Amino acid sequence: MTLENDTEVGSIIGSNSHIDYVGEIYTETMRESPPEPTDFEFGQFVYVLKEVQGQQRAFIGIIYDTQLVDPDQGRSGPRLAQPDEQNIFQPSYVDEKQVLTGIALLGYAEVEDGELVNPEHSIPRWTLEIDDVVRKLSEEDVIRFHEVDEEVRLEYYQRIVDVAGGFAEDILSQVLTELKEEKPGEADALDVIQKNLEWQTKMGGVE
Amino acid sequence: MVVGIVSEPGEGSNEFVIVTPDDTEIKTGEFVYYTSDVEVRNDDGEIEEQEKKIFARVTGREQQRGFPDQFMADPGVSPNAVARKLGISTDGVDLYNITATVIGYYDEQLNDFTNPRIVPEPGTEISLASDSDLEDYLTEAEPEEGSAFIGDLIHRPPERTKIHLPIDAFTSTHLSVLASTGSGKSYTASVLVEEMMQPDSRAAILVLDPHGEYGSLDDMEEEELSDKFRGDDGYSPEVQIKRPDDIQIRISELSLGDLFSIIDDPSDPQEQVLAEAWNQLQSEEDDYISINNIQDKVEEVGEEKDLESSARALDWRIDKALDRDLFDHSNHLSLPELLEPGQCTVLQLDTMDLRDQQMLVSVLFRKINQERVAHEKDRESELEFPVFGLLEEGHRFAPADGDARSLPVLSTILSEGRKFGVGIGIISQRPSKIDDDVLSQCKTQIIMQIQNPLDQDAVKKGVEDVGEDLLSELPGLTPGQAIIAGDSVNTPFLTRIRERHTEHEAESLEATKRWQQNWKEQQRGPEGVAEPEDEEGAENRDQPLD
Ligand SMILES: Nc1ncnc2c1ncn2[C@@H]1O[C@H](COP(=O)(O)OP(=O)(O)O)[C@@H](O)[C@H]1O
Ligand SMILES: [Mg+2]
């Protein structure tokens, strides 16, 4: 199984910062077989393949938020009167319902023979671009992305907290639960992190 | 080596705060320094600026940054492992705030520290004081020149530093060794005795040893230790051990106060008669007074004063008080025999009643003091040289409640001894039970582990220049570790007392060893399971051995 076979879930249409991107999920009008809802669920790891400095890399992120956009609701003024004019004045305006996703960029890895190698959890120096294709990262590759120096790591932890705000706990908890299952040898240390996470977010609300 | 940077002034006027990434070097009680220009008087008496090392003592340590407690939620998981998973670098995470108190720069003319009364600017580099600076500046004592090598500094690797105390200083202004039982008081005192008996000192020492644990000091006479104790000129220390049987008080050497203190509950008229009789006997200038002499004189005085019944009532009281082995009309401990330069005399009092011990100290030290005063006033004297007396269980001889015959004379010596060359070393595990004045007159203090809060308070009160920071270390000291403070040192510090050359006779018997030994002896007894070869001699068992 190689990365190329992974489901394409959407494309980048904008960003709020260097590590906080907006993706648009493909619909039936864009793709013959659009992604299933399970392909872009909350907490789904995704990636964008890019060649940088002659090296194929996967930029890995996670879906931390979704927004539904209904163009009909957003339009000002009488709607039925001049629909065509609207299109003229707002050429980028697509008269279609959209699912937008917030993607927090967590790191990157080199891609060799369709495999992730040398995962890095630091902020990539390079940026994603508009129209970059976002793919679903397989569960197997999710694990691989977390194996740094022969142990499970979540060095991007604080970045998710910063970007995802109130949703961070749920996302991280989901990730930690999965990693604990897949890597029982490291479950104890991951458990300390998970408990700490819970405690901080829950007590943070109380205090 | 720079170990930290000054971040801000501290709470006290002499304090400052250092930030350091590494806590291994700098512990409470450690010495650091920074350099600064200070105005000093030069050899020509002019004021000039000189760059000096300003020394400071570390008084506290607080973690400013480190792993959160939550990382330690699972004892089986190291916080490092958790941090690594979260991409937190595990080196240099810890940052410490260290508080330090300025001691000052070493003034070569004063031979002491002078405090420049300014704290370093934020950003000033702080270094660890060198071993040799500490050896030179903490005390004024040159090796082999009347100094006592007592050990090394706790925070430095073993034997890297050599700390010497000036023997002249602590013998002239008195010494206290204060600590809970088992912390190393007797051990430390023995180290001091060893040092004082070496050729560069040759002291005249008297040890009051209520537990009989100083007997092994006579190892100093042994050939094996000759490299430590023998001088090139043939000097070799002498050690005399005296057991209670060897110890007697000559009746004529008692004072009236001594006498009153051992007479059973005398009435006023009885005291009146006894006082008169005693004064008359003493004025007859007879060195020998027997019990009969007193009784006869009492009878005589009773008749004169028309107090015959009181005199009769005194008769048996005098018998009861004085007709004991401790008192004799002629035998006594003669000072020239007890005290001589190069001689250490140990009075083992372990079978002696406490009241008798106090009486003995009272009589002995009064005599010592009288002879020393006589010497200093150019009168004929048995003691032409200073002496040093070491008192174990000091609180028994100078108790806070005043209930000891020996207290008045010790108070006198401690407040005046400096003038007359009588030095006292008070050893005690109950500083709170020692007379306040006596304790505060001991100007050099060796303080070891103390748990009891009352005793800690007593030490705080009695010891002037030891900071709270050092005193807070007291409960945590281990046997052999001590704070040394007072007049013999330029600033207090923490030491590890060196090992003894002579053997240490621990006070507490090892019960399990005794039991085993006794059990085995029992087995060899008549009812025991005898070995076959023992059986043959069985019929001779009751015959005296020759
Ligand atoms: N400086 C030292 N070096 C090594 N051991 C020591 C030292 N001081 C004390 N000790 C140990 O501690 C024990 C108790 O010391 P000791 O002087 O008898 O206590 P104290 O007189 O305070 O009751 C000693 O038997 C010895 O084993
Ligand atoms: Mg002792």
Side-chain angles (χ1 to χ4, degrees):
Chain A
M1 185 171 139
T2 60
L3 288 170
E4 272 78 13
N5 301 336
D6 289 327
T7 314
E8 295 182 355
V9 292
S11 65
I12 298 296
I13 60 160
S15 75
N16 297 315
S17 79
H18 187 69
I19 55 168
D20 184 7
Y21 289 87
V22 182
E24 183 187 9
I25 302 300
Y26 290 142
T27 59
E28 278 147 350
T29 53
M30 299 179 208
R31 284 289 189 279
E32 260 174 47
S33 56
E36 297 290 320
T38 51
D39 294 330
F40 54 90
E41 53 188 27
F42 180 72
Q44 173 63 52
F45 280 87
V46 293
Y47 68 99
V48 169
L49 275 179
K50 276 180 104 57
E51 188 168 309
V52 183
Q53 292 171 335
Q55 168 71 52
Q56 179 87 336
R57 291 172 211 262
F59 293 81
I60 294 161
I62 194 164
I63 294 176
Y64 71 87
D65 200 2
T66 42
Q67 253 182 17
L68 303 178
V69 182
D70 180 351
D72 294 344
Q73 291 292 322
R75 196 170 299 179
S76 59
R79 212 172 41 196
L80 297 168
Q82 300 160 303
D84 295 340
E85 227 178 80
Q86 288 279 351
N87 280 335
I88 294 161
F89 288 126
Q90 292 173 288
S92 67
Y93 190 94
V94 187
D95 189 14
E96 196 180 10
K97 296 191 172 65
Q98 286 175 299
V99 178
L100 303 183
T101 60
I103 299 171
L105 198 55
L106 306 180
Y108 56 99
E110 290 165 12
V111 178
E112 267 164 26
D113 303 330
E115 300 265 352
L116 291 185
V117 291
N118 296 333
E120 273 281 345
H121 292 191
S122 56
I123 298 177
R125 279 180 289 149
W126 314 282
T127 177
L128 302 184
E129 287 160 287
I130 302 295
D131 294 337
D132 277 347
V133 176
V134 178
R135 289 184 166 89
K136 179 182 179 182
L137 192 68
S138 69
E139 276 180 33
E140 192 184 316
D141 284 328
V142 167
I143 302 301
R144 195 162 296 156
F145 173 63
H146 285 92
E147 282 173 338
V148 180
D149 289 343
E150 291 169 19
E151 67 169 324
V152 173
R153 294 197 186 172
L154 304 84
E155 298 183 18
Y156 53 75
Y157 181 97
Q158 190 55 40
R159 245 173 297 136
I160 292 199
V161 173
D162 293 343
V163 172
F167 296 149
E169 190 219 334
D170 281 277
I171 297 174
L172 283 165
S173 204
Q174 204 174 305
V175 175
L176 284 162
T177 303
E178 181 169 344
L179 289 173
K180 275 174 11 184
E181 262 169 38
E182 297 289 334
K183 293 279 174 184
E186 309 216 36
D188 287 348
L190 294 169
D191 200 47
V192 171
I193 296 173
Q194 193 167 14
K195 294 237 169 72
N196 181 31
L197 172 73
E198 252 171 59
W199 176 259
Q200 273 181 340
T201 44
K202 303 223 162 106
M203 288 310 285
V206 174
E207 276 164 4
Chain B
M1 185 185 47
V2 176
V3 291
I5 302 286
V6 175
S7 65
E8 58 182 358
E11 278 170 21
S13 58
N14 271 325
E15 281 184 341
F16 59 92
V17 181
I18 311 163
V19 174
T20 177
D22 186 4
D23 70 316
T24 52
E25 296 279 1
I26 314 184
K27 307 213 169 68
T28 298
E30 179 60 279
F31 293 97
V32 294
Y33 74 91
Y34 58 96
T35 51
S36 173
D37 286 336
V38 289
E39 289 189 342
V40 294
R41 205 171 280 280
N42 66 15
D43 293 341
D44 302 328
E46 290 154 6
I47 303 250
E48 63 172 26
E49 286 229 320
Q50 276 181 18
E51 192 183 71
K52 289 278 186 192
K53 288 180 185 171
I54 317 270
F55 292 89
R57 186 177 67 234
V58 171
T59 55
R61 188 166 61 96
E62 209 173 73
Q63 196 172 34
Q64 190 201 38
R65 193 182 74 192
F67 293 129
D69 291 353
Q70 291 94 320
F71 281 22
M72 301 159 203
D74 181 345
V77 175
S78 85
N80 273 342
V82 176
R84 229 176 23 239
K85 292 206 176 310
L86 296 178
I88 299 166
S89 152
T90 51
D91 310 327
V93 172
D94 300 344
L95 262 194
Y96 290 84
N97 272 350
I98 301 223
T99 44
T101 295
V102 175
I103 299 164
Y105 60 90
Y106 187 75
D107 186 324
E108 311 277 351
Q109 277 158 356
L110 296 177
N111 285 334
D112 202 347
F113 288 105
T114 299
N115 189 335
R117 306 257 158 234
I118 36 162
V119 294
E121 300 277 323
T124 306
E125 291 181 346
I126 298 294
S127 306
L128 204 59
S130 73
D131 295 337
S132 60
D133 277 354
L134 293 177
E135 285 175 344
D136 289 348
Y137 301 156
L138 291 180
T139 67
E140 295 308 319
E142 293 299 321
E144 317 282 312
E145 290 177 23
S147 69
F149 165 51
I150 44 107
D152 54 13
L153 294 172
I154 282 184
H155 296 311
R156 304 299 166 105
E159 297 182 18
R160 265 265 290 282
T161 49
K162 278 187 148 53
I163 300 300
H164 291 80
L165 293 181
I167 291 174
D168 287 340
F170 70 77
T171 53
S172 65
T173 59
H174 314 296
L175 169 83
S176 56
V177 181
L178 308 172
S180 307
T181 303
S183 310
K185 294 181 303 295
S186 309
Y187 199 105
T188 303
S190 304
V191 166
L192 288 175
V193 170
E194 286 178 4
E195 290 293 320
M196 293 169 74
M197 295 315 292
Q198 287 179 0
D200 64 323
S201 171
R202 309 185 189 193
I205 305 179
L206 184 63
V207 181
L208 269 289
D209 177 15
H211 299 297
E213 46 180 343
Y214 284 84
S216 60
L217 282 174
D218 65 9
D219 289 353
M220 288 191 287
E221 295 177 337
E222 298 289 322
E223 194 59 43
E224 297 108 80
L225 292 176
S226 58
D227 59 321
K228 303 280 189 245
F229 295 105
R230 305 267 163 101
D232 296 336
D233 55 0
Y235 165 79
S236 168
E238 217 171 287
V239 180
Q240 271 197 47
I241 313 289
K242 298 228 177 264
R243 298 289 308 156
D245 294 347
D246 311 327
I247 297 171
Q248 285 189 310
I249 297 173
R250 188 184 288 174
I251 291 172
S252 64
E253 286 168 351
L254 294 173
S255 72
L256 187 58
D258 293 338
L259 209 52
F260 281 166
S261 76
I262 45 174
I263 298 278
D264 227 13
D265 196 18
S267 66
D268 283 351
Q270 285 170 18
E271 285 195 359
Q272 202 186 325
V273 171
L274 185 59
E276 180 60 30
W278 188 253
N279 286 339
Q280 286 188 23
L281 280 171
Q282 295 235 303
S283 64
E284 285 162 17
E285 274 198 66
D286 197 344
D287 273 349
Y288 306 101
I289 298 175
S290 66
I291 296 175
N292 276 338
N293 293 152
I294 307 175
Q295 286 166 329
D296 290 348
K297 191 59 103 184
V298 160
E299 199 182 325
E300 208 180 298
V301 171
E303 276 166 22
E304 274 167 32
K305 304 213 160 199
D306 233 2
L307 291 168
E308 282 103 336
S309 66
S310 298
R312 266 196 304 281
L314 270 174
D315 204 63
W316 68 266
R317 286 189 163 83
I318 291 168
D319 253 336
K320 185 171 175 231
L322 295 174
D323 191 12
R324 295 187 287 136
D325 290 343
L326 180 64
F327 298 104
D328 194 84
H329 85 284
S330 70
N331 286 339
H332 70 156
L333 293 171
S334 92
L335 294 188
E337 202 186 309
L338 291 180
L339 288 159
E340 208 181 319
Q343 179 181 316
C344 170
T345 303
V346 178
L347 301 184
Q348 296 195 320
L349 313 176
D350 41 332
T351 56
M352 201 184 267
D353 174 270
L354 176 59
R355 294 280 157 196
D356 289 351
Q357 294 182 18
Q358 292 166 339
M359 178 65 74
L360 178 70
V361 167
S362 166
V363 171
L364 257 181
F365 280 88
R366 189 170 52 235
K367 257 172 74 183
I368 290 172
N369 199 41
Q370 278 165 2
E371 292 304 311
R372 288 299 303 156
V373 171
H375 173 79
E376 291 301 317
K377 301 209 161 147
D378 289 329
R379 295 198 303 262
E380 200 190 322
S381 164
E382 288 183 329
L383 294 174
E384 312 255 291
F385 44 85
V387 299
F388 186 69
L390 201 53
L391 279 91
E392 270 277 356
E393 304 283 346
H395 54 280
R396 293 191 189 168
F397 299 108
D401 64 11
D403 184 21
R405 252 341 279 154
S406 42
L407 177 60
V409 61
L410 289 178
S411 297
T412 307
I413 292 177
L414 278 147
S415 56
E416 291 181 347
R418 162 179 226 147
K419 280 185 257 171
F420 301 116
V422 185
I424 299 286
I426 297 267
I427 302 170
S428 173
Q429 70 269 28
R430 295 311 313 270
S432 62
K433 296 200 162 168
I434 303 180
D435 180 77
D436 285 350
D437 290 330
V438 164
L439 193 59
S440 62
Q441 288 297 336
C442 296
K443 298 295 187 189
T444 298
Q445 301 94 21
I446 301 183
I447 313 160
M448 310 181 83
Q449 190 220 48
I450 296 182
Q451 297 282 9
N452 184 314
L454 286 179
D455 292 326
Q456 289 180 1
D457 283 347
V459 168
K460 267 177 221 171
K461 268 197 299 176
V463 174
E464 284 157 26
D465 66 340
V466 183
E468 287 278 334
D469 57 304
L470 284 182
L471 292 175
S472 67
E473 299 282 302
L474 285 180
L477 297 179
T478 56
Q481 297 185 330
I483 296 171
I484 304 192
D487 286 2
S488 302
V489 299
N490 289 333
T491 189
F493 52 84
L494 281 160
T495 53
R496 219 172 354 233
I497 303 296
R498 71 157 172 80
E499 282 187 16
R500 287 180 66 166
H501 303 313
T502 56
E503 205 171 311
H504 187 61
E505 280 178 34
E507 178 188 308
S508 58
L509 303 175
E510 288 161 327
T512 52
K513 268 204 187 124
R514 294 289 164 128
W515 286 327
Q516 290 184 49
Q517 198 180 334
N518 265 279
W519 186 86
K520 280 180 194 141
E521 276 162 20
Q522 297 267 312
Q523 296 297 299
R524 271 184 243 115
E527 269 85 46
V529 185
E531 299 290 313
E533 49 267 52
D534 287 340
E535 215 68 87
E536 283 164 66
E539 65 271 19
N540 295 331
R541 191 168 283 138
D542 291 330
Q543 306 283 312
L545 298 168
D546 42 22

